[in-house]
Amino acid sequence: MEHPEVAKGTTFTTSEIVQFDHKKIVVRSIINRPTGNLSIVAIDTGQVMDRKSVPFDTYLQVIEGLARLSIGNQTFIVKNGQSIIIPARIQSTLTATIRLKIFLAIIKTGNENTGVQ
């Protein structure tokens, strides 16, 4: 699914570029390139973002709200201002405990198929 990028050469407030939608997950790309992407995601209370195992690490920062994040068999509570790195090749599930906005950064290294990190 394509998500429109933020216009280059303009200022913006990260937490304001995406708005909540009732019982939905809304994604807005800041940058989306073959080498990686930066996105802001708004997740309504109770909604679940299920991710299959991906071949690269993902940086997640909670901008607003509270999340329950399961990585493999571990569960974390990530709150406003906190960050976590989701390791490559491990399935994760993110649940919005309360309305949630997150910043996601994925940088593709070119080593995804080799297991090198």
Side-chain angles (χ1 to χ4, degrees), residues 3-113:
H3 306 289
E5 288 187 5
V6 172
K8 295 177 185 172
T10 62
T11 61
F12 60 92
T13 302
T14 305
S15 63
E16 294 175 0
I17 65 169
V18 67
Q19 301 304 315
F20 294 108
D21 196 352
H22 184 65
K23 294 188 178 185
K24 292 190 179 178
I25 297 173
V26 181
V27 179
R28 178 80 190 268
S29 294
I30 297 172
I31 297 173
N32 190 3
R33 301 287 181 274
T35 53
N37 63 62
L38 307 176
S39 300
I40 303 299
V41 184
I43 307 169
D44 201 13
T45 304
Q47 297 302 299
V48 176
M49 195 166 99
D50 224 0
R51 290 175 25 117
K52 295 181 180 178
S53 172
V54 293
F56 27 78
D57 295 338
T58 301
Y59 171 84
L60 180 149
Q61 179 183 24
V62 173
I63 298 171
E64 178 183 325
L66 186 68
R68 186 176 69 243
L69 175 66
S70 296
I71 303 173
N73 61 1
Q74 292 184 291
T75 300
F76 303 89
I77 300 301
V78 189
K79 55 188 171 183
N80 193 20
Q82 291 185 318
S83 301
I84 191 167
I85 296 172
I86 303 169
R89 296 172 202 64
I90 298 178
Q91 186 167 349
S92 63
T93 302
L94 180 77
T95 304
T97 305
I98 59 174
R99 281 184 146 190
L100 178 66
K101 286 186 182 179
I102 57 172
F103 170 73
L104 291 176
I106 301 170
I107 307 301
K108 301 173 186 176
T109 64
N111 295 323
E112 291 82 27
N113 296 324

